[in-house]
Amino acid sequence: MACEITSGFDLGACKDGVGGVRAMYVANWDKVNFSASTVAAGAYTALEMIAVGDKFFTYNLTKQTSSLTENITVEPLNSTAFFEQTFNLIMNTMSVEKRNELTKLVRANVALIVELNQLGDDGAGNLTVPQYVVLGSRNGCDVNAGTTASGVAFGDRNGYDITFSGSEPESVLYIEKALVDVLIVDKV
C-alpha cells in the first residue's frame, strides 16, 4: 500500500535548525525537462534543461527577507490531497531593470529552485551541505500577488514584494548542489 507509514522521528537533542532562504533560482517551466528527470526518496537525482544553454537565473536575496511556505490541503470527502507551494520574494531598491524583469516573471509560468539557510548532514554528522528544494515540478509556479512600494521614511524598504504560487500533487522535492551547479547561471 502506497500510504503505509514506515517510520517515526526522534525529537533530537540539538537545536540546529535555521530558518529562511539564501537564494532563488528561476527558469521558464517549459525549458526544464521534468519528464526526463529522476527522483528517488524525495530528491532529484537527475534533472536537466530542454535545450543546451537554457539555465536557471540566480536571484541572491537580502538576509531574512524572503520565505518559502508549503500548505497541505486535504479533502477527505473527495479523497484528494495537494501541496500549495508559495515563495515570497523581497527585492530592495526599485529600478527600471528590476521592473522590466519582474514584468516578465509576472507573465511567465516558472520553476523555482530555492536554497535554504538550513544546512544538511554531510554523512559524518556535520551540518555542512547546502539544501535546495524545487517548486513547481509538475505544474509550474505563477506570480499571484505583488507590491511595489517606495516606503515613507528614509529607513523604509524601497522595492518589491512578489509572491509565487504553485499547486503540486506532492511536497517540494529536494535537489543536490551538484545538480544545481549545472543548472544555474550567475546572479542577475
Side-chain angles (χ1 to χ4, degrees):
M1 174 179 212
C3 351
E4 186 174 332
I5 298 169
T6 59
S7 70
F9 293 99
D10 185 353
L11 182 57
C14 299
K15 293 177 179 69
D16 54 11
V18 178
V21 296
R22 292 178 51 87
M24 175 190 83
Y25 309 95
V26 61
N28 288 85
W29 182 82
D30 61 355
K31 293 189 177 206
V32 185
N33 196 354
F34 286 109
S35 63
S37 66
T38 306
V39 176
Y44 281 102
T45 56
L47 183 63
E48 58 189 40
M49 305 304 282
I50 296 285
V52 174
D54 288 342
K55 296 284 184 184
F56 279 80
F57 293 93
T58 302
Y59 283 64
N60 289 315
L61 305 174
T62 303
K63 293 179 203 173
Q64 300 183 35
T65 58
S66 300
S67 64
L68 164 65
T69 304
E70 184 172 65
N71 292 312
I72 304 165
T73 301
V74 178
E75 180 49 66
L77 296 175
N78 297 330
S79 294
T80 59
F82 66 93
F83 298 81
E84 186 72 24
Q85 302 169 351
T86 304
F87 185 78
N88 183 240
L89 170 66
I90 302 293
M91 292 182 10
N92 293 330
T93 314
M94 294 165 48
S95 72
V96 69
E97 295 82 13
K98 288 178 186 171
R99 174 246 178 241
N100 292 341
E101 193 60 31
L102 288 173
T103 298
K104 294 173 192 172
L105 281 174
V106 165
R107 294 187 171 116
N109 185 27
V110 299
L112 302 176
I113 297 174
V114 175
E115 181 180 356
L116 306 174
N117 280 332
Q118 178 66 42
L119 296 173
D121 193 311
D122 64 1
N126 304 308
L127 296 178
T128 59
V129 179
Q131 290 194 77
Y132 301 85
V133 293
V134 179
L135 284 72
S137 292
R138 180 174 278 184
N139 300 311
C141 293
D142 296 297
V143 171
N144 68 355
T147 314
T148 303
S150 66
V152 176
F154 284 168
D156 291 349
R157 172 179 291 116
N158 148 7
Y160 308 90
D161 183 339
I162 306 297
T163 303
F164 294 87
S165 181
S167 296
E168 295 291 326
E170 59 185 357
S171 185
V172 293
L173 294 166
Y174 284 76
I175 184 170
E176 293 182 7
K177 182 180 184 330
L179 288 174
V180 173
D181 289 344
V182 172
L183 296 171
I184 65 169
V185 294
D186 291 333
K187 86 172 196 176
V188 198

